Amino acid sequence: MKIDVLSLFPDMFTGVFEQSILKKAKEKGVASYKVTNFRDFADNKHNKVDDYPYGGGAGMVLMPQPIFDAVDSLKQQVAPEAKPPRIILMTPQGDRYTQRHAEELAKEDHLIFLCGHYEGYDERIREQLVTDELSIGDYVLTGGELAAMVIIDSVVRLLPGALGNDVSAVTDSFSSGLLEHPQYTRPANFRGFKVPDVLLSGNHAKIEEWRKAESLRRTRERRPDLLEAYKEKPE
Ligand code: 6GU
């Protein structure tokens, strides 16, 4: 998967792409990342990327020209017969991101994330360029960068070969619609606090039964909203 990011603050991404699963995915050839500063595409001599809103009002609006030209340039860098990219606008007005979106995006070959800072976006960017608008939750971030990092992380870990062990992605919380059951490791008795006997029993059917029951219990206690959705549509 090819992942492009358009941002005025490309340095925010260094580090994130160079650690852990995102780094491993790159090393294995599962994903590639490139961050482009769309200020480099501004066609005015001050490299201006925003301007006052028509009709007046507070704040600045990102102009269409640098962003359209930057996206055109990214599209020219892939084979013309390639599947067209998903062009994802990061905005608190977007669809609220969930694991379902991650699973859907993981099927794509090319993602382009558009990250704005403080400003609004000229509506023609939304209307003519963008395929998806996403928000990561109901709170305001200074810019779309941190949200794009969250989405990139959650998508890349789903790509075949990105995780060492392919079962861990599907058994994680949310993929099944339920929260994960409690886990224990050695020692069996830590400061007098014991691991549940069933996990030491060697009875795999009983262990699975216990895990399913704990998963349901944890979901009921912490996320009754998830449990309702699960009851209507298990798995
Ligand atoms: Cl995608 N952008 C900004 N600026 N704030 C957010 C967000 C995105 N998602 C949640 N808050």
Side-chain angles (χ1 to χ4, degrees), residues 69-85:
D69 284 356
V71 169
D72 283 346
S73 148
L74 296 178
K75 284 181 178 168
Q76 277 161 22
Q77 292 166 37
V78 300
E81 68 273 17
K83 190 173 174 205

Side-chain angles (χ1 to χ4, degrees), residues 91-95 123 126 133-135:
T91 168
Q93 302 177 13
D95 202 15
E123 193 65 15
R126 293 196 151 88
E133 296 189 32
L134 293 176
S135 160

Side-chain angles (χ1 to χ4, degrees), residues 11 47 54 59 65 75 82 85 88 99-100 114 138 141 155 157 178 184-185 191 201 219 232-233:
D11 290 348
N47 292 336
Y54 275 122
Q65 178 274 320
K75 284 181 178 168
I88 302 161
Q99 190 67 23
R100 304 289 91 73
L114 305 183
D138 292 343
L141 299 168
V155 169
R157 63 191 296 288
L178 297 176
Y184 295 87
T185 187
R191 299 186 177 184
S201 69
T219 309
E232 283 158 27
K233 226 170 145 241

Side-chain angles (χ1 to χ4, degrees), residues 65-201:
Q65 178 274 320
I67 292 178
F68 273 68
D69 284 356
V71 169
D72 283 346
S73 148
L74 296 178
K75 284 181 178 168
Q76 277 161 22
Q77 292 166 37
V78 300
E81 68 273 17
K83 190 173 174 205
R86 292 279 280 266
I87 304 177
I88 302 161
L89 186 77
M90 303 310 304
T91 168
Q93 302 177 13
D95 202 15
R96 192 157 56 182
Y97 187 70
T98 65
Q99 190 67 23
R100 304 289 91 73
H101 295 89
E103 287 162 7
E104 195 200 315
L105 292 178
K107 297 175 189 155
E108 298 288 334
D109 297 335
H110 187 191
L111 305 179
I112 300 176
F113 292 88
L114 305 183
C115 305
H117 234 76
Y118 328 108
E119 308 93 341
Y121 301 93
D122 185 289
E123 193 65 15
R124 290 163 292 188
I125 296 168
R126 293 196 151 88
E127 289 171 351
Q128 308 299 328
L129 197 61
V130 156
T131 61
D132 302 76
E133 296 189 32
L134 293 176
S135 160
I136 61 165
D138 292 343
Y139 40 83
V140 179
L141 299 168
T142 310
E145 285 81 3
L146 290 167
M149 290 179 216
V150 165
I151 293 178
I152 292 165
D153 182 278
S154 62
V155 169
V156 169
R157 63 191 296 288
L158 296 178
L159 300 178
L163 298 181
N165 157 7
D166 276 355
V167 281
S168 39
V170 282
T171 57
D172 278 348
S173 293
F174 295 111
S175 298
S176 68
L178 297 176
L179 300 182
E180 232 185 332
H181 54 77
Q183 299 273 25
Y184 295 87
T185 187
R186 285 185 288 189
N189 181 338
F190 175 68
R191 299 186 177 184
F193 301 107
K194 300 205 175 101
V195 171
D197 286 334
V198 59
L199 297 178
L200 311 176
S201 69

